[in-house]
Amino acid sequence: MISGESAFLETLSEPERLHFRHLAMVRPQLPSEGQVHMLEGLARSLASPRLLALMARTPHWLAHWPILLGLAENEATPESIRRDLEMVVSLFDQMREMDKAPASEKQDRSESVKALYSQLNPGLKPVAKLLAKQLAKTVTATGTTQELPPLPTEHPDWEALTTLPEAAPTQPPTQNLDRVGRLARALQTAQPEELLSFLVDPDQELRQTALQNPLVTEELVCQALALCGVPSFFEEVYAEARWYFREPVRDSLQGSPGCPSDLSKRVGLSRHLVAALAHGAPDRTSLRRIVSLFTQLDESEYQFITFWTKRQSPHLLRVVKYFYDRLVRERSGLASALPERGEEGRWATLEERVFLATQATQEEQLRQILKDPDPQVFRLALENPALTPRLLASSIAALDHGRVEVIAAHSSWSEDPMVAEALVHHPHLSEASALHLFTRLQGMKPAIEILRDPRVLHLELKRRALEHLRGLYQAMDIPDRITALRTSGGELMRHLPQEVLQDEETLRRMVADRQLDPGILLRLARNKLTPRAVLEQIAAHPVLMAHAAIMSELLLNPKTPREASMRIWGLLSEAEQHQLLRSPHLPAVLRSLG
């Protein structure tokens, strides 16, 4: 790999590097049938916006409909790119409906198709034309080369291809809501600009509520850290485990002008230590620098240093433990699980650890034994009668590759559904073991969790989970399908878009429920495959009036019937109308009203 690509790889996380190598290898050539299936799987399951942006900027991949559809359905695809791809999907959906429409409606439908095509991103118009040609003509064995967009150059600019589109300018939150309404809006809003304004709000409760919004992303947190000037917000983000270990968030913590100096120093020392450990200690000066950094390291940063060491340099874990054991810190209330005999600070003998592995009854003792460096002690702990499936499942995430394989091959633990599910989500479990354990998982929930988990890197496992999910859904009757859709929060629409969104009867009966979750209505309103009749039904739903986000998505969906769109437009405030007028995806009929 050339030096430019090597430098670019340094900006990616470890899972992203693995997928990037596959994409970079396939990109310069016409994909084979197997490679198209692989790219479709990546388009649907990748959680990296940068790699999804790279796929969306490769026209000869978009010429394959499953890949384009997968990118449009993946919620991790950058918003502006996903909107453009959804317009292509909607274009072909309208063309399909135009072909089936009565002769009296064909002219109106044709004008709608032309208007929608004129609004497409210029870079996607050739792709749309090519897809239309492929659908319009029968394929014969002529031996003629398939018409495709030009293949990319030999040495592409990876940085430019993976650069995320610029975010829309920050919009202030709704001003006419009381405190209770603002708190509810902070938890439920689906608009990134509004969510960002809540994250940087001076009100602590409002910020903490916004952090619990399921649509908060790493990118959004980094933007908030750069804009916020409230010192306590930085500590709130730092205290959450889901942000604490993410290096972009840690970089934003240190780089923000509003970050408290103490926190910035803590994170900065860890960055210097990680760089020193990665460089190694070729001489005495480097070794002294590493020791000096360890002695200055704050106790709260040892979790990150341990996390980094496990991933990058497992052989240094004993070094980290050595310095942590000698750290000057306040004594915790937890007594050591190991026998306290002999002088202070003595390491427990193997005999003592073996005894504890077989006889321990307390959870804290068993957790410590499962992390013992000796494999023999670990194997004995698995046979301890006091070890419960819940305790073992919660400990699996911290285990290394060898130990999760031992549990996966264990005669009894591998049969337990709770343990099997925790093992399947471990990033270092082999594909063969993961596929074997998947057969023990029943129901929809485990399959959905596998599809949504970015730590699961095995594409074959995700394919089988998708097939399992599809089979379960197709075997259900309508009431069971409605229950499954509501239980999953609409997640089934993301993974089974064709099956769910073509099931018009199920959708109509589900939307008829006046107590339906607004999040499901939002997904249906946003999706360009949702049938027109269902969109019209949503437009009359009583929940609509309380959720401006649903109204906005209906107006941006070109399949929403014109009468419903005109009625909804009149329900919006002038500020909301003005915000929608800035979107290039607003239909021309509504734009003329503004």
Side-chain angles (χ1 to χ4, degrees):
M1 187 162 289
I2 62 174
S3 59
E5 293 178 356
S6 300
F8 171 73
L9 282 174
E10 295 299 322
T11 66
L12 302 177
S13 65
E14 188 174 351
E16 287 177 333
R17 290 177 194 172
L18 175 65
H19 293 310
F20 170 75
R21 290 191 177 96
H22 289 156
L23 295 175
M25 180 177 63
V26 176
R27 194 169 186 270
Q29 59 195 16
L30 293 177
S32 63
E33 184 177 353
Q35 289 170 340
V36 169
H37 286 304
M38 180 199 75
L39 291 169
E40 179 190 359
L42 288 175
R44 292 190 179 279
S45 62
L46 272 180
S48 169
R50 295 182 67 189
L51 296 186
L52 290 168
L54 168 62
M55 295 186 70
R57 289 165 178 159
T58 307
H60 73 283
W61 286 350
L62 297 181
H64 297 276
W65 179 256
I67 299 175
L68 186 145
L69 185 61
L71 289 168
E73 293 293 338
N74 192 333
E75 293 182 357
T77 304
E79 179 70 11
S80 60
I81 294 177
R82 183 159 57 85
R83 290 278 190 191
D84 290 336
L85 295 175
E86 285 176 344
M87 288 187 69
V88 178
V89 174
S90 180
L91 175 70
F92 282 90
D93 201 34
Q94 289 199 22
M95 290 170 63
R96 200 160 29 246
E97 291 186 5
M98 180 181 68
D99 290 338
K100 297 178 182 178
S104 59
E105 297 180 13
K106 283 188 181 292
Q107 183 61 33
D108 290 340
R109 295 288 182 95
S110 175
E111 293 300 322
S112 297
V113 169
K114 291 178 182 177
L116 181 57
Y117 177 80
S118 66
Q119 296 179 37
L120 287 184
N121 184 302
L124 289 176
K125 286 184 178 180
V127 173
K129 284 184 178 180
L130 180 58
L131 287 170
K133 288 181 181 178
Q134 292 174 1
L135 293 174
K137 64 182 180 183
T138 57
V139 179
T140 57
T142 60
T144 307
T145 304
Q146 183 183 10
E147 181 183 356
L148 282 174
L151 294 177
T153 57
E154 186 175 358
H155 300 299
D157 183 352
W158 299 116
E159 199 67 47
L161 288 169
T162 58
T163 299
L164 299 181
E166 292 185 8
T170 304
Q171 295 293 321
T174 305
Q175 299 295 331
N176 57 355
L177 294 177
D178 58 13
R179 179 174 175 76
V180 176
R182 283 166 61 81
L183 288 172
R185 190 70 170 266
L187 186 63
Q188 298 174 2
T189 181
Q191 299 182 15
E193 303 88 351
E194 188 176 32
L195 184 53
L196 180 60
S197 68
F198 285 127
L199 288 172
V200 300
D201 197 279
D203 188 328
Q204 180 179 5
E205 187 178 1
L206 197 61
R207 291 196 311 271
Q208 292 179 344
T209 302
L211 278 174
Q212 303 310 313
N213 189 309
L215 297 181
V216 171
T217 62
E218 179 182 288
E219 181 184 359
L220 206 58
V221 170
C222 291
Q223 290 180 34
L225 289 170
L227 296 173
C228 189
V230 183
S232 57
F233 175 65
F234 295 86
E235 293 288 353
E236 291 161 11
V237 173
Y238 181 78
E240 285 202 31
R242 61 173 173 158
W243 308 124
Y244 171 86
F245 294 101
R246 302 195 183 197
E247 295 193 20
V249 175
R250 294 175 68 85
D251 291 343
S252 297
L253 280 169
Q254 189 188 13
S256 174
C259 182
S261 57
D262 175 61
L263 178 56
S264 180
K265 180 182 177 183
R266 272 184 275 163
V267 176
L269 275 171
S270 295
R271 173 186 283 186
H272 291 312
L273 179 56
V274 163
L277 291 174
H279 184 261
D283 51 42
R284 187 177 295 272
T285 303
S286 301
L287 187 58
R288 284 177 177 171
R289 173 176 168 77
I290 291 174
V291 172
S292 174
L293 289 170
F294 262 118
T295 56
Q296 298 175 67
L297 197 65
D298 189 87
E299 182 178 358
S300 63
E301 282 298 290
Y302 269 90
Q303 294 183 62
F304 174 74
I305 295 298
T306 304
F307 170 74
W308 180 89
T309 307
K310 282 182 178 179
R311 294 172 59 204
Q312 305 294 336
S313 303
H315 61 284
L316 293 177
L317 282 171
R318 282 188 176 274
V319 175
V320 178
K321 177 174 173 53
Y322 174 89
F323 282 101
Y324 182 73
D325 287 344
R326 282 147 185 79
L327 182 69
V328 179
R329 59 186 184 275
E330 296 180 5
R331 296 185 64 84
S332 65
L334 276 175
S336 174
L338 293 171
E340 293 187 357
R341 298 195 296 271
E343 67 272 18
E344 184 71 20
R346 175 180 64 80
W347 287 67
T349 65
L350 179 60
E351 181 182 357
E352 290 170 338
R353 286 146 50 205
V354 167
F355 173 82
L356 195 62
T358 56
Q359 302 299 321
T361 57
Q362 298 179 17
E363 282 195 3
E364 193 61 35
Q365 294 175 334
L366 289 167
R367 287 185 190 279
Q368 187 169 348
I369 284 298
L370 288 172
K371 300 175 186 177
D372 193 278
D374 193 303
Q376 177 188 355
V377 177
F378 172 75
R379 291 175 183 273
L380 288 172
L382 292 180
E383 309 303 329
N384 189 320
L387 183 63
T388 62
R390 179 186 60 80
L391 176 58
L392 181 57
S394 65
S395 304
I396 283 173
L399 302 180
D400 58 25
H401 167 73
R403 301 198 177 200
V404 295
E405 292 293 345
V406 168
I407 301 174
H410 196 276
S411 57
S412 58
W413 287 122
S414 62
E415 299 288 337
D416 187 277
M418 184 183 297
V419 175
E421 185 171 0
L423 285 170
V424 165
H425 288 271
H426 197 286
H428 300 308
L429 184 71
S430 67
E431 184 175 42
S433 299
L435 294 175
H436 177 67
L437 290 168
F438 179 68
T439 60
R440 290 163 170 70
L441 304 180
Q442 303 296 324
M444 283 190 162
K445 185 175 180 296
I448 291 176
E449 292 298 328
I450 288 172
L451 291 170
R452 79 197 320 181
D453 190 351
R455 297 173 302 168
V456 179
L457 303 177
H458 305 306
L459 296 180
E460 177 61 21
L461 176 61
K462 292 205 170 188
R463 188 190 68 79
R464 291 197 187 182
L466 186 61
E467 290 300 322
H468 177 69
L469 200 62
R470 182 179 289 113
L472 288 177
Y473 183 81
Q474 292 175 341
M476 291 177 176
D477 54 19
I478 290 181
D480 288 339
R481 289 182 178 183
I482 293 175
T483 302
L485 285 166
R486 298 190 66 166
T487 303
S488 69
E491 191 75 6
L492 277 175
M493 297 180 206
R494 176 184 174 187
H495 303 299
L496 301 177
Q498 299 288 344
E499 290 76 7
V500 173
L501 296 172
Q502 290 179 4
D503 188 1
E504 186 171 335
E505 179 61 26
T506 298
L507 295 179
R508 289 176 64 87
R509 288 175 58 175
M510 180 176 67
V511 172
D513 186 351
R514 299 174 67 86
Q515 303 299 321
L516 187 62
D517 179 7
I520 296 179
L521 290 175
L522 181 65
R523 285 176 180 265
L524 287 170
R526 171 180 292 171
N527 204 298
K528 304 305 183 291
L529 293 178
T530 304
R532 296 171 66 91
V534 175
L535 291 172
E536 188 171 11
Q537 194 177 358
I538 294 173
H541 199 281
V543 170
L544 187 73
M545 297 293 293
H547 292 273
I550 301 177
M551 291 192 279
S552 298
E553 293 296 344
L554 281 172
L555 293 173
L556 292 174
N557 194 328
K559 287 182 65 177
T560 304
R562 181 178 300 180
E563 296 77 11
S565 296
M566 302 286 283
R567 179 167 48 82
I568 294 172
W569 182 261
L571 299 176
L572 296 177
S573 66
E574 289 187 9
E576 290 167 336
Q577 290 178 354
H578 181 69
Q579 185 173 351
L580 281 172
L581 286 170
R582 298 171 60 191
S583 172
H585 306 290
L586 187 70
V589 176
L590 297 177
R591 192 177 299 280
S592 64
L593 295 177

